Amino acid sequence: MNVLVINCGSSSLKYQLIDSETEKVLAKGLCERIGIDGRLTHTPAGGQKIVFNDPLPTHVTAVSSVLEKLTDPQCGVIASLSEIGAVGHRIVHGGEKFASSTLLTDEAIAEIEKCCELAPLHNPANLIGINACRELMPGVPMVAVFDTAFHQTMPEKAFLYSLPYRWYSQYGIRRYGFHGTSHSFVSKRAAEFLGKKPEELKTIVCHLGNGASLCAVKYGKSVDTSMGFTPLEGVPMGTRSGNIDPAILEYAAAKEGLTLHEVMNVLNKQSGVQGISGLSSDFRDLGAAAAAGDKRSAAAIEVFCYNVAKFVGAYAAAMNGVDVIAFTAGIGENDPSVRTKVLSYLEYLGIEVNPQTNKLRGEETVISTPDSRVTVLVIPTNEELAIARETVEIVGE
Ligand code: ADP
């Protein structure tokens, strides 16, 4: 079955058409500047990237343009829309309602709407994508795959904040965690790669991309994760602060003459490695600048690696041991020096790095030595494929 995977943001929409039998990507692309002027980049498998300047006033026109490209005699990959068997939607927040992916019925959509309060920037945009697809592909089954669902197995001791309990019971203020589709995919794949069952392993997944989070996966289930009520918590990220003393908010607001909202904006968009370096949120730029002697870029990398290592230590404690550490996402897959720095703090766990295999980028590899007490892997994540698999599982072959 061909599954159309949709990741809809407020002004953008990413898509992939995946053949679920072969797991090949038939075409992929991105609609940008929806509601502004519009730009659609479409890449059929084995072909060149094509840029269209279709006006995209609404998400419905964006989805309509995508469907047009997919069925176009020149750049298309299917003859008609009837060849799309199902649509899988990436949904950011499923609250406590969704512990797994779900078929998008009217009731499920109403429940996702209720979660908008928890993810006001993301869920409404995700819902717009769902509605646009429903309008243009009536009758095609659709599935919601949530970033939060995998973490619903966390025990209370991991998800409760030490705040008035009523804030949790009345407002749902608790740790939800994000990147769940990636943590689930990578932990499963890590086990498969090692010829083991997920139920046999204590795994720590380090999803280190522009957004970064770690997850303690004990015997196949998420038991703790570094992102929290929002994706701002945890390790420092490209532009997000990660954990800080909450008292800084009031102090910095007073010093800088900012509102709470403006301080939150700084924490989300001008902090992390971008904030420390003052140069870039991209580790390629930071690595080059640090090598050329830029001290703040070097400090940004150090702060990042140190904090990632501290979370690994915390999760080894949370699970009372660790068998596998898996690095994934942009930095985790492609930056051997970050991996080396993180692992240099973890020798006490009996970790030995293989400097030869650690040089590799973006492929499934064991980067620890055979004697290492913990197996360290690089496992490229593939959230679109994970969404396509979930979709097929729910709608049936
Ligand atoms: P997201 O999906 O959160 O936007 P990605 O997982 O695509 O992020 O990661 C993007 C980040 O990965 C970039 O900002 C950059 O810091 C890092 N990255 C990508 N390629 C490399 C590379 N070759 N070397 C070092 N870092 C890289």
Side-chain angles (χ1 to χ4, degrees), residues 160-171 173:
L160 271 189
Y161 289 116
S162 46
L163 292 167
Y165 189 82
R166 193 175 56 79
W167 290 12
Y168 164 58
S169 54
Q170 207 166 328
Y171 309 126
I173 297 177

Side-chain angles (χ1 to χ4, degrees), residues 20 39 66 78 82 90 160 251 254 259 286 297 304 314-315 328 386 391-392:
S20 68
R39 187 183 130 101
V66 169
I78 49 175
S82 64
R90 178 202 176 202
L160 271 189
Y251 191 82
T259 62
L286 297 176
S297 294
F304 177 80
Y315 291 163
T328 195
T391 302
V392 172

Side-chain angles (χ1 to χ4, degrees), residues 364-377:
E364 287 184 347
T365 332
V366 181
I367 60 167
S368 51
T369 65
D371 288 338
S372 181
R373 264 198 281 142
V374 177
T375 306
V376 187
L377 303 175

